[in-house]
Amino acid sequence: MFDVVVVGSLNLDLVVSAERIPSPGETVTGTGYHEYPGGKGLNQAVAAARAGARVAMVGAVGDDGAGETLRAVLTDDGIDASGVATVGGVPTGRASITVDVEAENSIVVVPGTNGHVSPAVVLPSARVLLLQLEIPLPSVVSVARRAADDGVLVVLNPAPAVDLPDDLLAACSVVVPNEHEVELIGGVDAVVEQGVRTVIVTRGAEGVSIHSSEGRLDQPAFPVDPVDTTGAGDAFCGALGARLAAGDDVAAAVAFAAAAGALATTRHGAVPSLPRRSDIDAVLGPS
Ligand code: ADP
């Protein structure tokens, strides 16, 4: 039995630095190139594992070097990758990112094998199922419904935001949008009316608001000096899933997750910035 199973995306991010982003038809000379593991599914699985959970990842990669790299990232953090399928003839998901000197970026995401995660995937048994929206929606709905029927706590981070079908919301206990996504999914009240017990809105440096039928509770952000906010939301969701699986109540799990999100902003990148349990506990202080 795992604490957290993540069914979601795995990407290799290809990041080119250049003086400026080229216009259509133009070629510019780049100044740097890096490859980073990414995809919200992979990021959140790593975040949950570093927060102390036993984690399994379910998804798909290609029969290529990027797929090997991403499997190695999972196993390095002790994540069970036996549910990550290898799909022949389709490239591993990638994001091609150009960043200019002003830190402005332009991004092309190729879902590749992430588009091949089937609604019939086998779900390892776990306390919490953690989902995002970078794999086909019918697959998200299928795993959410099956897990909810088995009594698993289903946590959905609706990113990137789309209109959420009623049968998906009916299967979710916790929905975790950021302040932009919450508008795109129709607002807190509409989501609570669909039977979701708790909506947790992450608000960057403004902290977090927790909404349920009993009203609203606020968790302030932990004060930090941010250098790169990439990955804060994924750190938050992974840490939240880990603590809910450990049996924390929502308020305690949110405080822990907010500390994880704050720490993630203090280091560059997504996966490298995801904090470990001991660092998160140090921010929380003695309880
Ligand atoms: P996303 O990356 O999905 O937009 P947020 O930016 O809302 O997510 O970040 C998730 C959580 O991480 C926030 O709710 C907050 O608790 C924490 N966080 C993010 N940015 C900061 C910051 N500048 N200072 C302190 N905490 C932060």
Side-chain angles (χ1 to χ4, degrees), residues 2-285:
F2 292 96
D3 297 317
V4 176
V5 57
V6 176
V7 181
S9 58
L10 305 100
N11 282 339
L12 192 65
D13 293 349
L14 317 177
V15 183
V16 174
S17 321
E19 194 75 18
R20 58 193 177 77
I21 294 168
S23 314
E26 191 190 11
T27 301
V28 302
T29 300
T31 54
Y33 176 76
H34 290 283
E35 295 186 356
Y36 300 104
K40 291 179 193 297
L42 178 146
N43 290 347
Q44 294 184 19
V46 172
R50 290 192 187 162
R54 280 162 300 170
V55 180
M57 172 98 209
V58 174
V61 294
D63 187 8
D64 52 21
E68 298 277 309
T69 302
L70 298 179
R71 280 183 188 281
V73 169
L74 294 174
T75 47
D76 277 356
D77 269 290
I79 296 164
D80 183 293
S82 55
V84 176
T86 300
V87 180
V90 181
T92 296
R94 283 184 177 75
S96 169
I97 304 169
T98 306
V99 186
D100 72 11
V101 286
E102 311 283 329
E104 199 60 59
N105 60 36
S106 83
I107 305 178
V108 179
V109 176
V110 182
T113 46
N114 293 313
H116 289 253
V117 178
S118 149
V121 286
V122 174
L123 271 182
S125 77
R127 296 195 167 81
V128 167
L129 171 65
L130 184 54
L131 296 167
Q132 316 77 28
L133 299 175
E134 291 184 335
I135 58 169
L137 193 56
S139 303
V140 176
V141 175
S142 164
V143 293
R145 292 186 57 175
R146 282 189 278 141
D149 286 348
D150 286 346
V152 176
L153 188 85
V154 179
V155 179
L156 171 67
N157 171 221
V162 295
D163 250 341
L164 300 176
D166 291 353
D167 55 349
L168 174 56
L169 287 175
C172 294
S173 296
V174 181
V175 175
V176 193
N178 69 16
E179 53 199 328
H180 310 292
E181 291 149 4
V182 70
E183 301 308 325
L184 296 168
I185 63 172
V188 167
D189 293 344
V191 175
V192 172
E193 271 163 29
Q194 292 295 326
V196 173
R197 223 179 305 144
T198 312
V199 180
I200 298 170
V201 184
T202 67
R203 302 177 183 277
E206 304 295 311
V208 189
S209 58
I210 307 169
H211 307 258
S212 67
S213 56
E214 282 132 54
R216 168 175 174 156
L217 186 70
D218 286 311
Q219 165 69 49
F222 290 87
V224 286
D225 288 323
V227 295
D228 176 7
T229 59
T230 315
D234 291 335
F236 183 95
C237 290
L240 179 78
R243 290 317 304 168
L244 291 175
D248 277 7
D249 64 27
V250 170
V254 164
F256 183 92
L263 282 169
T265 71
T266 63
R267 294 177 66 183
H268 286 282
V271 169
S273 77
L274 296 170
R276 294 183 187 280
R277 169 102 203 234
S278 52
D279 297 323
I280 303 169
D281 283 339
V283 168
L284 285 171

